[in-house]
Amino acid sequence: MNWRFSRLSAGGEMPRNAADVRLFTCSFSPEAELARFTQAHPRAGGVVSFLGQVRSSSGVEAAGDAVEALELRHYEPLTLPAMHELAERILGRWDLEGLLVIHRSGTMMPGDPIVLVAAAARHRRSAFAAADFAMDHLKSESWFWKREKVGGQWRWVEPRAEDYQDIARWS
Amino acid sequence: MNWRFSRLSAGGEMPRNAADVRLFTCSFSPEAELARFTQAHPRAGGVVSFLGQVRSSSGVEAAGDAVEALELRHYEPLTLPAMHELAERILGRWDLEGLLVIHRSGTMMPGDPIVLVAAAARHRRSAFAAADFAMDHLKSESWFWKREKVGGQWRWVEPRAEDYQDIARWS
Amino acid sequence: MALKLVFLGPLEDLAGAPEREVASAPSVSQVLARLEPDLAAALSSARVKCALNGAIVHDRDAEVLKSGDELAFLPPVSGG
Amino acid sequence: MALKLVFLGPLEDLAGAPEREVASAPSVSQVLARLEPDLAAALSSARVKCALNGAIVHDRDAEVLKSGDELAFLPPVSGG
């Protein structure tokens, strides 16, 4: 099974600052991860982060339509290499001190963190752009399938055209 | 002295979600503030944050040019109303679940947090734009004067043309 | 020996399980030909990608499969 | 009674202190006329704003000052 991780170093030469890319199968503390990341990059003037969490309600719908749980499935031989390749692309495009990408899989409850992306940079604009780019591309290029539990029933969530529009902003 | 806070409610009608705007004169924990903010907005799918901290080194310069301390002075009768007005403008422009703006004044050491902005929204794009806008405008419109201690000497930091360019992106 | 098939996302429901062992065959097309017709039709969709041991398969008629290989079927990922 | 002058940023160094009490005068211009010439010149710059009790003063010749008022002089804020 050694092919599972054989493509991690496919990005060419080593970037100046390595990315911290992790997949978690159980819950994590975004604030602890962010604090550690920030402290690890004292030369960065700014850290931009995005935290995605399971919404406690899908919004305008009736109370009976609230999402009770969320499940993310992924295919390990593709997910982690794709996340590493995305991270290398981001480090090559912006001048960052550090990049953090954490993604959950498995079953999550409302309020649970799903994804945490953080970019540390000497310049604010680079940090914002890198975090924004990372989220746009993580959402559209990563191999995650999502099920929501609503009214006791699990249903798969379909792909959205909006994600492709988000990516088009960067080309 | 009641004129000091008389302009806080000048923004017209109350926004759907109030902003949390605070000025601190001593150090704070960005992770604790962010965790509390995130938990207070369970309907938000995403939270974007910017943390600005005192850099441990100004970067490419020689070791002797490292910033040893930073002092921010502000004029209270102007600072807090300006920050509240900016927050109201942001709440009027993007559909947010919540907005957090915390700014330090006083003397800070390398690694200390200076500013924390966080935007919670149902849609990722709104959260990114609101946090980005907040930082661009906080930097350029707020009444903060900055001194850096380098080689044992305090010196005032001059305004930068770059800040005005950042603001022009939004008009 | 056999092949391991992995069904991601909604394909899991259609296949009745997230994984399945099948008898080895030389190409992806030949593997599909032995499955239930409705499942084979879904896996043949242009929107469903196929990965062999973690690498996307571009030619499903290529006779490249070996016993012990893992074939994953990947429908479009979810939005949101 | 008197007026309180507040000097922000680098103006503090020029004035020798962050704050100063001065005798009351009817307008900002008249207050400035009584200060040291180099300080008065710096405070008269178009880049230095003046705030009366927290509100920016647009007409420095307006005779609006009352005893106990606070006049703040605000140079351009720092970048970075």
Side-chain angles (χ1 to χ4, degrees):
Chain A
M1 298 291 260
N2 65 347
W3 53 266
R4 282 187 182 268
F5 298 101
S6 65
R7 296 157 82 234
L8 294 187
S9 56
E13 58 182 300
M14 190 67 183
R16 190 169 59 90
N17 300 289
D20 182 359
V21 175
R22 281 175 284 160
L23 272 166
F24 286 170
T25 53
C26 53
S27 202
F28 66 101
S29 161
E31 50 271 23
E33 296 290 344
L34 198 54
R36 182 163 53 184
F37 176 74
T38 300
Q39 281 154 24
H41 299 288
R43 287 162 46 95
V47 176
V48 171
S49 73
F50 175 85
L51 169 66
Q53 59 183 359
V54 184
R55 273 198 276 264
S56 68
S57 155
S58 286
V60 294
E61 64 271 53
D65 295 334
V67 172
E68 293 146 18
L70 182 76
E71 188 192 354
L72 280 183
R73 274 196 71 193
H74 71 107
Y75 184 55
E76 188 182 319
L78 287 175
T79 315
L80 204 53
M83 286 169 65
H84 276 280
E85 282 166 28
L86 174 57
E88 306 270 311
R89 237 189 311 157
I90 291 168
L91 290 175
R93 182 160 176 168
W94 287 281
D95 186 17
L96 303 182
E97 295 290 320
L99 179 65
L100 173 69
V101 180
I102 295 175
H103 211 298
R104 268 295 309 273
S105 66
T107 303
M108 289 159 270
M109 307 304 287
D112 281 354
I114 305 170
V115 57
L116 175 67
V117 161
R122 289 170 36 77
H123 299 291
R124 189 170 82 247
R125 187 120 325 285
S126 300
F128 267 107
D132 197 359
F133 182 96
M135 281 308 304
D136 277 357
H137 287 74
L138 252 187
K139 286 270 193 169
S140 316
E141 295 174 17
S142 296
W143 299 93
F144 286 103
W145 292 270
K146 187 158 91 177
R147 284 204 294 190
E148 288 178 346
K149 193 178 186 182
V150 176
Q153 299 288 314
W154 284 101
R155 63 176 177 79
W156 291 99
V157 178
E158 293 296 312
R160 298 186 316 164
E162 192 182 313
D163 291 321
Y164 299 97
Q165 291 163 12
D166 284 344
I167 279 203
R169 297 191 309 133
W170 300 99
S171 57
Chain B
M1 297 291 260
N2 64 347
W3 53 265
R4 282 191 182 265
F5 298 102
S6 64
R7 296 155 84 235
L8 294 188
S9 56
E13 57 180 302
M14 188 67 183
R16 189 169 59 89
N17 300 291
D20 182 359
V21 175
R22 281 174 284 159
L23 272 166
F24 286 170
T25 54
C26 52
S27 201
F28 67 100
S29 162
E31 49 270 25
E33 295 291 345
L34 198 53
R36 182 163 53 185
F37 176 74
T38 300
Q39 281 154 25
H41 299 289
R43 287 163 46 96
V47 176
V48 171
S49 73
F50 175 84
L51 169 66
Q53 59 183 359
V54 183
R55 273 198 276 263
S56 68
S57 157
S58 286
V60 294
E61 63 270 54
D65 294 335
V67 173
E68 292 146 19
L70 182 76
E71 187 191 355
L72 281 183
R73 276 196 69 193
H74 72 108
Y75 184 55
E76 187 182 322
L78 287 175
T79 315
L80 204 53
M83 286 170 63
H84 277 279
E85 283 166 30
L86 174 58
E88 305 272 310
R89 236 189 310 156
I90 291 168
L91 290 174
R93 183 160 174 167
W94 287 281
D95 186 17
L96 302 183
E97 296 290 321
L99 179 66
L100 173 69
V101 180
I102 294 175
H103 211 298
R104 268 293 311 272
S105 66
T107 303
M108 288 159 272
M109 306 305 286
D112 280 355
I114 305 169
V115 57
L116 175 67
V117 162
R122 289 170 35 76
H123 300 290
R124 190 170 81 245
R125 185 121 327 283
S126 300
F128 267 107
D132 197 1
F133 181 97
M135 280 308 305
D136 277 356
H137 287 74
L138 252 187
K139 286 271 193 167
S140 317
E141 295 174 16
S142 297
W143 298 95
F144 286 103
W145 293 271
K146 188 159 91 177
R147 283 205 294 190
E148 287 178 348
K149 192 177 185 181
V150 176
Q153 299 289 314
W154 284 101
R155 62 177 177 81
W156 291 98
V157 178
E158 294 297 313
R160 298 187 315 165
E162 192 181 315
D163 291 322
Y164 299 98
Q165 290 163 11
D166 284 344
I167 279 203
R169 297 192 308 134
W170 300 99
S171 56
Chain C
M1 275 282 285
L3 297 171
K4 181 173 163 189
L5 306 187
V6 179
F7 307 105
L8 278 303
L11 294 175
E12 169 184 335
D13 299 343
L14 198 61
E19 298 182 357
R20 183 190 295 192
E21 296 262 317
V22 297
S24 198
S27 73
V28 174
S29 299
Q30 286 166 284
V31 170
L32 296 186
R34 296 180 193 168
L35 300 174
E36 311 89 281
D38 60 337
L39 179 58
L43 301 183
S44 302
S45 160
R47 300 178 74 216
V48 173
K49 289 192 164 60
C50 176
L52 169 60
N53 298 341
I56 300 294
V57 173
H58 296 288
D59 179 2
R60 294 190 180 195
D61 295 319
E63 303 200 337
V64 294
L65 303 186
K66 300 180 306 296
S67 190
D69 280 350
E70 181 168 309
L71 269 183
F73 294 93
L74 316 151
V77 293
S78 306
Chain D
M1 276 280 285
L3 297 171
K4 181 174 164 189
L5 307 188
V6 179
F7 306 106
L8 277 302
L11 295 175
E12 170 184 336
D13 299 344
L14 198 61
E19 299 183 356
R20 183 188 295 193
E21 297 263 317
V22 298
S24 198
S27 72
V28 174
S29 299
Q30 287 165 285
V31 170
L32 296 186
R34 296 180 192 168
L35 298 175
E36 311 89 281
D38 60 338
L39 180 58
L43 301 183
S44 301
S45 159
R47 300 179 74 216
V48 173
K49 290 193 166 57
C50 175
L52 169 60
N53 298 340
I56 299 294
V57 173
H58 296 287
D59 179 2
R60 295 189 178 194
D61 295 319
E63 303 200 336
V64 295
L65 302 186
K66 300 180 307 294
S67 187
D69 280 350
E70 181 168 309
L71 269 183
F73 294 93
L74 315 152
V77 293
S78 306

